[in-house]
Amino acid sequence: EYKEYLLSLRREICDNSYKRTMEVVKAYLDKLYGSDLNSYKVALYNSLKNIRKNVMIFIDIDKYKFPNKLIEEELELLNTISDVHNYLGVFNNRLIKIISEYKNTNNIEIVNNAKEFIDKNYMKDIRLEDVAKEVCISSFYFSRIFKKYVGVNYIQYLTSIRMEKSKDLIIADKLQIKEIAVQVGYVDQNYFSRVFKKYTGESPTEFSNNYRQYRIGGI
């Protein structure tokens, strides 16, 4: 049950649902209502430590001075279960502030991490939502900052990576066009050919023939 609880926390954190994250924590704590205050605080500390771990993996921990020790010290000052519940709001507001500051100052790093993920997974059926989840921001926010810093939208960037790789594979002349299509993430060869022609001005076959002519000095 505790493992399922941690997984649900991870999902909510990566969806940027910080209010919902706190609701998940509170629901877990409510199950411990019969416990003594100390057990309650220990459970909350472990929960908040896990949230901090999952969020701070994307953030400079030292910069924001948000150590586990601080959470532990603050929890020590709480005298009632009601105080513990109120502390969730304090923690949540602090978390939102830190993430907001991070987003404002680390967009370039977020975009670079996203590009690295795309470059490694272009051959898979990756959607914008998948990449946004990988860098732990909302799809809307990711789409906006990606276009701002890269100069093209997500689909245009993914297409360019796939097309440049397909050109390399055509030049290598070891695979058929339908095999190349699959290698770069397209199940439908006809659709791949249309995208390729739109990108290069030539069909894959025309591109291959023209490259061969160029190599043998035909042009």
Side-chain angles (χ1 to χ4, degrees):
E1 184 179 359
Y2 184 67
K3 287 183 179 180
E4 292 179 1
Y5 160 68
L6 293 181
L7 286 174
S8 67
L9 274 185
R10 174 64 177 170
R11 285 194 298 269
E12 298 299 340
I13 290 168
C14 280
D15 286 341
N16 282 350
S17 303
Y18 304 112
K19 181 179 178 181
R20 173 60 186 159
T21 300
M22 294 302 109
E23 291 174 354
V24 171
V25 175
K26 186 176 183 302
Y28 177 72
L29 291 176
D30 285 343
K31 293 181 179 180
L32 305 175
Y33 192 80
S35 303
D36 60 89
L37 178 61
N38 185 60
S39 298
Y40 212 69
K41 289 199 288 188
V42 169
L44 178 59
Y45 173 70
N46 289 331
S47 299
L48 299 186
K49 184 170 67 172
N50 185 268
I51 292 172
R52 175 189 174 280
K53 176 183 177 182
N54 279 278
V55 172
M56 292 302 180
I57 193 172
F58 302 100
I59 299 176
D60 185 342
I61 298 175
D62 295 330
K63 178 180 178 181
Y64 291 98
K65 296 181 173 59
F66 190 40
N68 288 326
K69 185 66 176 176
L70 176 62
I71 300 172
E72 186 177 13
E73 291 173 351
E74 291 176 340
L75 287 174
E76 281 294 320
L77 300 176
L78 306 181
N79 297 314
T80 67
I81 289 178
S82 178
D83 289 341
V84 173
H85 281 167
N86 291 336
Y87 182 72
L88 283 176
V90 174
F91 182 90
N92 191 42
N93 290 337
R94 181 185 294 157
L95 193 65
I96 291 173
K97 182 180 178 181
I98 288 174
I99 292 170
S100 177
E101 291 178 6
Y102 166 72
K103 285 180 177 179
N104 290 333
T105 58
N106 293 275
N107 285 338
I108 293 177
E109 183 178 352
I110 291 174
V111 169
N112 286 338
N113 289 340
K115 288 172 65 179
E116 182 178 351
F117 178 76
I118 296 167
D119 293 350
K120 290 180 179 178
N121 295 278
Y122 67 88
M123 72 296 295
K124 301 176 183 177
D125 182 22
I126 52 172
R127 303 167 300 164
L128 181 146
E129 292 80 8
D130 298 323
V131 184
K133 187 172 183 179
E134 177 68 21
V135 294
C136 230
I137 60 176
S138 71
S139 299
F140 174 78
Y141 187 76
F142 170 70
S143 178
R144 187 155 57 92
I145 65 169
F146 191 86
K147 177 70 179 291
K148 178 180 178 180
Y149 289 97
V150 180
V152 295
N153 64 34
Y154 165 72
I155 289 297
Q156 290 171 322
Y157 181 80
L158 176 62
T159 299
S160 69
I161 296 297
R162 287 174 166 176
M163 292 301 101
E164 291 302 321
K165 183 62 178 178
S166 65
K167 285 163 65 176
D168 291 341
L169 292 173
I170 291 172
I171 289 172
D173 198 22
K174 294 181 179 179
L175 299 172
Q176 297 180 357
I177 299 300
K178 63 180 180 181
E179 294 174 314
I180 291 173
V182 173
Q183 286 267 333
V184 299
Y186 296 96
V187 177
D188 187 334
Q189 180 185 339
N190 292 328
Y191 179 68
F192 164 72
S193 296
R194 290 197 299 272
V195 174
F196 189 92
K197 186 165 187 177
K198 183 177 180 180
Y199 183 82
T200 65
E202 302 174 303
S203 70
T205 300
E206 290 170 339
F207 179 85
S208 177
N209 291 338
N210 288 337
Y211 180 76
R212 287 197 191 98
Q213 290 179 3
Y214 172 79
R215 287 197 63 185
I216 63 176
I219 59 171

